[in-house]
Structure formats: structure tokens, C-alpha cells
Amino acid sequence: DEFWASVADAPPVELAAELPALQETVRALGFPTGGRTLCITEGVVSRVDSIELTPPADTTLVIQIDAAINPGNSGGPVFDSRGYITGVAFCKDVRNCTDNIGYVIPSSVVRTFLDRCGKERHGYTLSPCVPYRWHKLENQSLRAAHKVPHEISGVLLTSVAPFLEGSLKVGDVLLKIDGRKISDDGQIELRGHELIQHRYLLRNKGIGDKTTFVVFRDGQQVECPPVELKDLPPICPRWPDVDYLPEYVILGALALVPLAQGHHWYKECPVELKATIDRWNKRWPGDRDGREQLVLLVTVFAHELTFGYNRGWRVVESYNGTALTSLRQARDLWHQTREQVKEALALRPPVETASSPKSPKSTELGIFVRLGLQSDDDLVLDAHAAMEAEPGVLKTHAIERASWIKGDDKD
């Protein structure tokens, strides 16, 4: 409170309306390693470009500066020569072969982010997805195969989202987006002779914004009717635990979760599973065989029930022969099996006295759970034994509840 009171009369800073010029002086402010007071470093704008972020993040527009950026600068403002905030410091290149390469998120990207967090919105609204996949047209054999004249520049569309099939087609050469020409390597002019990947035009728009594409098709240039961009979430989500708690189901002594892109980076993740993530994320919504999620058997807990099973990190394709389309369906099927067990137990004869023969074993109920695993043998559990094992597994591993799936809190 004392801090805010001390700066109450200070004039607010403003975001720059334009990208800074090359070689323009910039100053980075923050509290980085090395002291406790405000640190100001000065440098120049080295370039404006797009860089590939660590997956599952996408590419983003950045300003490269040579002013020192260190731990503690991230999130701090970077001012241009006119006193406007040209962007927000966020990282630097730490490879041994580089020097003085720091990156700033431009004010235009910051402004777009703030607009997507507006008060009239319920939470953050994602940027639209690029609704097609493409290939560069620099190879002469590829151009000849698709009969692309030498004076035509653009990129070849290799896959198109279903909602665009009336406008774009596989095999089209994308020439322009909103009147901006695309080069054979997929770049557009940002300003002057500065180039940037054309995806920037789409990623910087809002969901529902109309976009006009011009393509080369059947020997002619065709201007497609404007289309509204959409969010096209991949079947293996990029951020499964950002907006809500991680989803999971404990089935006896097994842990099931939705397969996500983040699993790609665990050392336990086998190569085949990484390939599965990449392959399925190339499929558009509506072209996923009715699946909403891929179910991953992520953990086989140590228990008598799972003795001899060591097959974690496998995609579960079926439950007792029923193809799985989501984690919620897997949980529903497990609950149905539990009800069958309860009904079977209710129909059994009463337990006899100690001097009489023992009551039938749970396996004599003949109710099992058979999980079909991708590229592996089925995993079979006695359903009654799984029900009896589950409370102990939850207690041993300090798991609060047997499952949680988005929407459960509304029930």
C-alpha cells in the first residue's frame, strides 16, 4: 500500500504504437541478479523476427536487443528512445556460441494479449490457429509437379481444416493473406525489407476475425470469400493443467490421464508414444474417428493386483472391447463394471460360518476389466479385486479422490 501511495501521482507509461526501428536505442528495466535496486541496461534493436519457442508453445514475434537481460528482468518493461514501452523482456540466448542476444515481446503482442483478457470476456481467449499446413515452394521439382509458373510465389497447402474446405483446398498455392504477398519460403514483408513468417498475420488476429486468402488453383488466381478464424485445439492439448486441474482416473491400481503434448518431454515417454502425439495432433477436429481425447495409462502402481505388469506409458485403445473416445467414457465404463460387481455380490449366497467352507473368491465372479493397449498385450484385472485395492492405493499415494475430470465441480 505504501508503494502504490508513493506512485499515485506518477504519470502512466504507454505502450508504443509501432515496432522500434533497427539500431534504435532501448533501455531494459528490472531487478536482475546482482543487486537489490533498480537496474537499467541500454542497447539497440538488433532485429525484429519470429522465433520458435520451446514446444508445446508456438512461434512468436520478438524484438532482439543487445542490452543485458538476466534473471529478474523477465516481465520488466523495455523502453524505446521516445519513452514508450516497446515491449516486455522475457528471455535471452544462453548458448556458448552467442553473445548479447536478448528477446523482447513487442508491445503489439502485449496489446493483443490484454485485449484477449478484456473484462467482457470470461477468461483468456486464445489466438486463432493456422487452419492449414503448408510446404515451401523453393524446390523446382515440386513446383513443376504442381504446375506452378515461375512468376508465382507462395506456399503449397498440404492439409486444410474441414471448416475451410469450401474456400481452401489441398494442392492450392497460397499467394496472399489480406493482400499481403507470401514468398516461396512462407515469409511476408513486415516493413520495408524486414521479413517474417506469414503465420504472424493469423496468430495476431482474434477468433472470429475475417480473413481473405488468394490462391493459385487450376492455372488461375482465385480470391476466396472471407472466412472467420477459429481455435482448433489439438487432441493432445498443449496446456492440460493451465486453466483447470489435471484430469485423471484411478482404476484399481492404475492411473489413467488424457495424453497431452507435455508428456512428450518426460524421459519415461517412449519414442512410439511421442510419434503418436505428433501423428494425432496433425488431425483436424472432425477427423479424429470420433475421439475427444487419447487415454494414457501413465502409472502402474506397485500392488498385488498389478503383479507382473510393467506397462505404463501406453495408450489405452479399448475397455472390454469398447473403443475409448475420452477419459470420461473410460471412467463411465469402469463405474458400470463396479455396479455389475455389486449386483453379482448381492446375488451370492450369504457368507457361511467359520467352520464352513470359505466363501467364493472374487475371481469366481467372472467379471474382469480388459484394457486394450496400443502396440502391446492387453492388461487384465479382476474387477472385484480392483475395487478392493483402490482405497488402499489412494491412501498410500495420498490421492484425495478416485478421479477428477473437468466439469466434476459443477455436479
Side-chain angles (χ1 to χ4, degrees), residues 31 57 244 271 330:
F31 295 86
Y244 53 90
V271 173

Side-chain angles (χ1 to χ4, degrees), residues 53 70 106 175 304:
L53 300 177
N70 293 295
L175 308 179
E304 181 182 358

Side-chain angles (χ1 to χ4, degrees), residues 50-63:
S50 60
I51 61 171
E52 295 278 348
L53 300 177
T54 302
D58 203 349
T59 58
T60 187
L61 178 69
V62 295
I63 301 168

